[in-house]
Amino acid sequence: MSRTIVTISREFGSGGRSIGKAVAASLQVPYYDKELIKQVAEKTGFDPDYIEKAGEYAPGKSIFSLFSGMNRSSELMGGMSASDFLWCMQRQVILELAQKESCVIVGRCADYILKDDPDAFHVFVHANDDFRAERIVRLYGESEKAPIERLRDKDRKRSLNYKHFTGRPWGVCQNYNLSLDSSVIGIDRCVSLIVDLVHEREERSGN
């Protein structure tokens, strides 16, 4: 069965989630982001809020001290730590989704998990600080932290989490098929570029 899987990794505030949703709508395929969290929660019994936060922290950081106090049997987790257990469940969910149908997956180390899948097309979205800072304030509002500090903090957490579970640095262009600067190209143009390249790829492969 022919499939087209698009994974989108992104810097905080770069618009990667919006781009992913629009790409999925244009390709008429399912979109997975927070939906992944729900599926992992169903498999594990962990609270979705914990799972979402865990995806932003490297093991050993504060979020995992919260997991350690949760009532999860060692039999359920096979003797693994909560962080490793959640990683394994997340990996399983992503692999199952990718095998089942064409889709767009945002974040959750999907680019690494599906790195050997010939039907996967991997994208990294980044942008300059001014673009990202304005965007997070517009979308999420002000906070006690300055916008630039919020960007640095979020990206640092994503980088640490990615490095821990994949063993490779986050955001390195060689790990992706396409790297896009949304502050230069624009959100809409990023969407059209990804869709056009996916269609060209499908035509070349005969899908």
Side-chain angles (χ1 to χ4, degrees):
M1 179 179 66
S2 62
R3 297 168 295 124
T4 295
I5 313 298
V6 179
T7 73
I8 297 182
S9 306
R10 76 285 187 218
E11 289 183 333
F12 181 49
S14 65
R17 179 172 289 154
S18 298
I19 290 168
K21 288 181 179 178
V23 168
S26 181
L27 295 176
Q28 297 183 316
V29 301
Y31 167 84
Y32 294 106
D33 180 4
K34 292 186 182 297
E35 294 79 4
L36 286 173
I37 296 171
K38 295 176 184 177
Q39 294 200 30
V40 173
E42 290 173 1
K43 280 182 174 289
T44 64
F46 278 100
D47 185 275
D49 289 339
Y50 282 113
I51 296 171
E52 181 172 12
K53 291 176 182 177
E56 302 292 347
Y57 288 78
K61 301 300 180 182
S62 59
I63 185 64
F64 288 99
S65 65
L66 299 177
F67 281 113
S68 63
M70 298 180 69
N71 184 22
R72 292 289 176 268
S73 69
S74 59
E75 181 180 355
L76 171 65
M77 299 197 297
M80 290 186 287
S81 66
S83 58
D84 287 343
F85 175 67
L86 284 175
W87 163 256
C88 289
M89 292 299 100
Q90 174 180 285
R91 180 178 181 276
Q92 180 180 330
V93 167
I94 288 172
L95 288 171
E96 288 174 353
L97 290 172
Q99 283 299 313
K100 182 176 72 172
E101 60 187 351
S102 297
C103 59
V104 174
I105 303 175
V106 172
R108 301 285 148 181
C109 300
D111 61 291
Y112 176 80
I113 292 168
L114 300 174
K115 62 184 175 61
D116 297 321
D117 189 326
D119 294 318
F121 185 75
H122 306 297
V123 180
F124 188 82
V125 181
H126 58 100
N128 66 47
D129 287 349
D130 290 341
F131 177 89
R132 296 195 293 143
E134 185 279 329
R135 198 167 184 280
I136 64 169
V137 170
R138 174 164 46 86
L139 293 178
Y140 309 123
E142 298 278 1
S143 77
E144 295 179 358
K145 290 184 179 180
I148 295 298
E149 186 181 354
R150 291 163 68 186
L151 297 177
R152 297 285 183 270
D153 183 57
K154 194 82 163 181
D155 285 347
R156 180 183 60 83
K157 290 172 182 175
R158 287 179 178 174
S159 179
L160 288 171
N161 180 273
Y162 187 89
K163 176 69 173 179
H164 176 85
F165 286 113
T166 71
R168 65 186 192 182
W170 177 70
V172 174
C173 64
Q174 287 86 350
N175 293 332
Y176 305 90
N177 302 115
L178 181 65
S179 182
L180 297 171
D181 185 338
S182 57
S183 58
V184 173
I185 301 170
I187 299 293
D188 292 342
R189 183 58 177 152
C190 285
V191 172
S192 62
L193 281 170
I194 294 169
V195 171
D196 288 347
L197 287 170
V198 166
H199 284 321
E200 290 176 12
R201 197 164 177 263
E202 289 174 339
E203 291 174 2
R204 287 197 303 271
S205 64
N207 286 357

